[in-house]
């Protein structure tokens, strides 16, 4: 009887499925940013002005600064905040068509860099 019990247990153990192995998690790559914007982030005030020329508008709010550059078809707003050493650096860029509608950031930056 014991033999039958042991054989039955071994038989059932052999039929059992293996526990599912966890699927290794692949680290998700960050979404590719817009290349033009990436080039602007981190620039200082003087570097930004050297790149685009004199801003059409300059707004200071507390320790931050907004510089606006305008082209024929689009407007670029660059937001500068002080880094730990106190130097103002671009941390965010917004672009829009002169009508206010959304526009492609890379195209707007290119249009401002190479006005026709």
């Amino acid at each position: 009887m014991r033999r039958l019990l042991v054989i039955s247990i071994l038989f059932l153990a052999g039929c059992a499925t293996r526990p599912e192995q966890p699927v290794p998690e692949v680290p998700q790559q960050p979404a590719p940013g817009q290349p033009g914007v990436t080039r602007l982030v981190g620039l200082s005030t003087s570097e930004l002005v050297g790149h685009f020329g004199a801003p059409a508008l300059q707004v200071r709010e507390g320790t931050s600064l907004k510089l606006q550059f305008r082209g024929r078809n689009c407007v670029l707003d660059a937001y500068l905040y002080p880094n730990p050493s106190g130097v103002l650096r671009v941390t965010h860029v917004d672009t829009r068509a002169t009508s206010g509608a959304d526009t492609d950031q890379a195209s707007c930056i290119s249009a401002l860099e190479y006005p026709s």
Side-chain angles (χ1 to χ4, degrees), residues 50-105:
H51 191 77
F52 290 117
L57 179 67
Q58 186 171 340
V59 179
R60 203 167 265 292
E61 288 188 21
T63 60
S64 66
L65 177 66
K66 172 182 146 183
L67 297 179
Q68 186 177 88
F69 300 92
R70 296 180 191 154
R72 275 195 283 176
N73 299 318
C74 70
V75 177
L76 180 142
D77 292 322
Y79 298 90
L80 297 94
Y81 292 91
N83 64 8
S85 62
V87 178
L88 289 172
R89 298 275 180 191
V90 175
T91 59
H92 183 74
V93 175
D94 279 329
T95 57
R96 62 184 175 283
T98 52
S99 66
D102 287 339
T103 187
D104 178 62
Q105 288 187 336

Side-chain angles (χ1 to χ4, degrees), residues 34-43 48 51-52 90 106 109-110 113-114:
Q34 303 232 349
V37 175
T38 307
R39 280 195 325 248
L40 300 180
V41 171
L43 293 181
L48 195 60
H51 191 77
F52 290 117
V90 175
I109 292 168
S110 181
E113 289 174 330
Y114 309 105

